[in-house]
Amino acid sequence: MPSPHWLPLLREIGNLKRVRSANQTGSVAERLFALAWRRLVAGEETNSVARDVTARALVATRLGDLDAASLHAAGLPGEAVREILGNGFDAAAVLLDAPARRWLRGGSPQVHLDDDADPGVSMAVPAFVERLARQPRAGATTPGRSRLMLEPPENHAEHCLCVAVAAVLLAPETGADTGCVFLASLAHHLHNALLADAGFAGETLLGEWLAPAISGATELALGELTPALGSRVAEACRILPDVETAEGQAFHAADTLDRVLQMEHHLRAASTTMAYLQNEMALVHAGPIKPFQDALLDRMGLAA
């Protein structure tokens, strides 16, 4: 079972659902989900995709949407860009042991933290990728109670990406196969490309028809893949029903934590105080004009 020391990093992975920028469409998590499927469709080996996407996610927890392309466009030389991205990775990866850090940063093929263009970028993604990015998650539902909606909702592409990255990070603790848990995590909501998310309360109303509906919708999504890739995805998804295997444990740990941390995000934001923001988060941070800023906030009655 994973250690609680993972929670700070998993919270930051979850924040990739909320990191956006002017030159990109969708959140970082949504775009990494599409990148993962684009590479898989292009025929790249699953472990290679898992490694690169996880490394990129770690970098983004520190640099947000500052990527190689934008830094190059701003005039930074290649060596500086590589150093910046490498520093971002190193800062995010402090909880990882040395073998995991080496695996994510090196090996063959090399992790391309500084690529201007992603391999496989010309390959079309399966149609289910866009549909999952448009499909919001249900929020908290249970039979007999009103649905609790926390806005804005995450979408299924974002959830699946964050679960996949978390599962890759947690896999060594359970002895799970990294490629298997990554692929199963990416695919565990394929049915929601067709079926809107009615939540636990809605699913209970389907009764005996829930499993056939999920199975049928999943098969439609798998049909958008090549037979070879579809078979790999279906085989990986065999781990989903239980926690008897190391892979099932890694997946369900990642999935459960992402679901709960998504709700925690809203509660933490709602309970944050101005004292925490000013004193702990350095909302007005150190610099040459900080004395003026502090005096201004004090005069306006906003100092905490």
Side-chain angles (χ1 to χ4, degrees), residues 88-255:
F89 175 87
D90 291 339
V94 292
L95 291 180
L96 278 62
D97 61 23
R101 288 195 300 271
R102 284 195 300 270
W103 179 71
L104 287 168
R105 280 293 300 270
S108 179
Q110 184 81 13
V111 171
H112 301 288
L113 297 178
D114 61 337
D115 277 1
D116 287 326
D118 296 314
V121 71
S122 63
M123 297 293 296
V125 296
F128 65 69
V129 170
E130 183 180 353
R131 292 199 300 272
L132 288 171
R134 295 201 309 265
Q135 188 75 270
R137 285 176 53 76
T141 76
T142 197
R145 295 185 180 273
S146 298
R147 181 186 303 236
L148 177 61
M149 301 294 292
L150 298 175
E151 297 289 338
E154 61 181 326
N155 64 51
H156 280 79
E158 292 168 331
H159 167 68
C160 288
L161 183 282
C162 291
V163 172
V165 170
V168 169
L169 296 175
L170 298 177
E173 290 201 13
T174 66
D177 178 86
T178 300
C180 176
V181 295
F182 180 77
L183 199 55
S185 298
L186 285 181
H188 77 286
H189 277 285
L190 284 183
H191 59 280
N192 289 117
L194 173 65
L195 302 175
D197 189 351
F200 175 50
E203 290 178 349
T204 61
L205 296 177
L206 272 72
E208 64 181 301
W209 295 107
L210 175 62
I214 290 176
S215 177
T218 301
E219 285 301 315
L220 287 173
L222 290 174
E224 299 176 16
L225 304 173
T226 64
L229 180 55
S231 294
R232 283 166 54 199
V233 172
E235 181 63 28
C237 287
R238 287 174 174 269
I239 71 168
L240 297 179
D242 58 54
V243 291
E244 297 304 313
T245 64
E247 289 74 24
Q249 292 172 17
F251 163 74
H252 283 290
D255 181 48

Side-chain angles (χ1 to χ4, degrees), residues 46-70:
T46 303
N47 278 342
S48 173
V49 179
R51 179 172 56 193
D52 191 30
V53 167
T54 301
R56 288 172 183 268
L58 289 173
V59 172
T61 66
R62 292 297 182 269
L63 291 175
D65 238 351
L66 278 178
D67 59 6
S70 59

Side-chain angles (χ1 to χ4, degrees), residues 202-304:
E203 290 178 349
T204 61
L205 296 177
L206 272 72
E208 64 181 301
W209 295 107
L210 175 62
I214 290 176
S215 177
T218 301
E219 285 301 315
L220 287 173
L222 290 174
E224 299 176 16
L225 304 173
T226 64
L229 180 55
S231 294
R232 283 166 54 199
V233 172
E235 181 63 28
C237 287
R238 287 174 174 269
I239 71 168
L240 297 179
D242 58 54
V243 291
E244 297 304 313
T245 64
E247 289 74 24
Q249 292 172 17
F251 163 74
H252 283 290
D255 181 48
T256 302
L257 290 172
D258 186 70
R259 280 188 284 156
V260 173
L261 291 177
Q262 172 69 14
M263 298 295 110
E264 184 203 59
H265 156 74
H266 292 282
L267 300 178
R268 282 163 57 93
S271 62
T272 297
T273 66
M274 187 56 70
Y276 175 78
L277 290 171
Q278 290 190 27
N279 300 326
E280 302 297 327
M281 295 298 292
L283 182 62
V284 177
H285 49 265
I289 65 169
K290 190 172 188 305
F292 170 84
Q293 293 171 316
D294 288 341
L296 172 67
L297 294 178
D298 186 61
R299 179 177 176 80
M300 296 295 181
L302 295 175

